[in-house]
């Protein structure tokens, strides 16, 4: 889990599992960037969430290997 590694970071970060759509949209209004994929794995259900998040955000985005896997296929 990546949350413990970045918990001391000098910025605000949402460190929780995938947010429901309404909460995601609310949080994205305040966000400056989106980090997608850490700890999400490669399950089909997670792939759908990653694709949804990427298609519904206009923020600068960091995509990890699992998220890249999800959008590649």
């Amino acid at each position: 889990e990546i949350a413990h590694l970045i918990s001391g970071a000098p910025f605000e970060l949402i460190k929780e599992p995938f947010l429901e759509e309404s909460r995601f949209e609310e949080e994205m209004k305040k966000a400056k960037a989106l980090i997608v994929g850490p700890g999400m794995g490669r399950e089909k259900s997670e792939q759908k969430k990653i694709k949804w998040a990427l298609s519904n955000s206009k923020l600068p985005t960091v995509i990890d290997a699992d998220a890249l896997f999800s959008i590649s296929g």
Side-chain angles (χ1 to χ4, degrees):
E1 185 174 307
I2 196 167
H4 73 279
L5 298 173
I6 54 179
S7 61
F11 49 84
E12 186 175 337
L13 182 66
I14 299 171
K15 299 172 275 194
E16 57 187 270
F18 185 82
L19 302 171
E20 295 301 319
E21 291 179 18
S22 61
R23 175 97 191 277
F24 178 87
E25 292 167 353
E26 176 184 321
E27 293 296 334
M28 290 303 99
K29 291 176 185 174
K30 299 182 276 184
K32 294 181 179 165
L34 175 65
I35 302 172
V36 180
M40 291 190 79
R42 296 184 175 189
E43 300 296 322
K44 290 276 187 199
S45 61
E46 299 305 314
Q47 291 177 14
K48 290 177 183 178
K49 291 175 184 178
I50 291 169
K51 288 179 181 180
W52 183 90
L54 293 173
S55 66
N56 286 281
S57 173
K58 295 181 181 174
L59 297 170
T61 304
V62 175
I63 304 172
D64 87 339
D66 286 336
L68 286 172
F69 177 85
S70 294
I71 62 175
S72 69

